[in-house]
Amino acid sequence: MTRWVTLLPDDNPDAYSEAAAGPGVLGGSAAADLPGSFGGTGATWDVTAERTPTDIATAAGLPEPLDTVALAPVRGKYVPLRGPRVKRTLLLAVRPGTPRALVGQLEADLMAMPGHISTIRSWSLSRVDQTLTPSHWTHVWEQEYADVQGLTGEYLGHPFHWTCVDRWFDGEIPGAGIVEPGLVHVFRWSREPVLTSR
């Protein structure tokens, strides 16, 4: 089974959640992106399946997803959380030719965030599986929160975010700004856990 992150138009995301109940699909959920999201296409669909999201959508008679990446997990953690939660997805691209050691430092800083930011519940860092979905995106950084404020407040405003992580996204910092401009930062409500890998 492969876990996929898919960007959709926001006209009928529930139909994609229903389509994820077919054979060869472990689970999936979709919802419209919340205000404050940027770079996306209106809705996000997370699905775990043997088939591609495009194949699932086509079989259900739904429009083809607008952008899909297959995830090759680096590390994550499942933290139980009752009830609905906010699922945040960040798609980013590391500049071509970046030394592997610098990519490793970026990944380590992202994975250190849950140890500093208490509102992060379940989380996952993945590389994009370029063999399944050739893409300009290289990494997907995902988290779940009990509410929107956990993301827009403590996460985005935390000193660890600004001092240790944000430098990787700033092209004006010599030797550190390795992430291409143009990100997908989207978040949505989910009725059930999405990041369930333990």
Side-chain angles (χ1 to χ4, degrees), residues 17-47:
S17 292
E18 293 166 9
V25 182
L26 187 60
S29 70
D33 299 330
L34 293 169
S37 298
F38 62 84
T41 56
T44 310
W45 184 26
D46 295 278
V47 63

Side-chain angles (χ1 to χ4, degrees), residues 98-189:
T98 298
R100 191 171 291 197
L102 283 181
V103 176
Q105 290 174 24
L106 162 67
E107 293 175 346
D109 282 349
L110 289 172
M111 292 184 292
M113 293 182 89
H116 297 273
I117 302 171
S118 65
T119 56
I120 296 175
R121 303 302 175 90
S122 297
W123 59 272
S124 176
L125 176 65
S126 301
R127 298 182 189 111
V128 174
D129 187 334
Q130 300 289 343
T131 62
L132 290 177
T133 51
S135 174
H136 69 285
W137 303 117
T138 61
H139 291 77
V140 181
W141 171 231
E142 304 169 279
Q143 311 92 49
E144 292 181 0
Y145 300 87
D147 53 37
V148 172
Q149 183 61 27
L151 170 63
T152 61
E154 183 175 349
Y155 178 93
L156 292 179
H158 197 281
F160 187 84
H161 182 274
W162 289 107
T163 59
C164 294
V165 175
D166 206 48
R167 64 191 172 119
W168 300 111
F169 297 80
D170 188 343
E172 296 184 5
I173 299 179
I178 64 173
V179 176
E180 295 273 19
L183 306 168
V184 170
H185 158 74
V186 290
F187 52 102
R188 64 177 182 86
W189 283 105

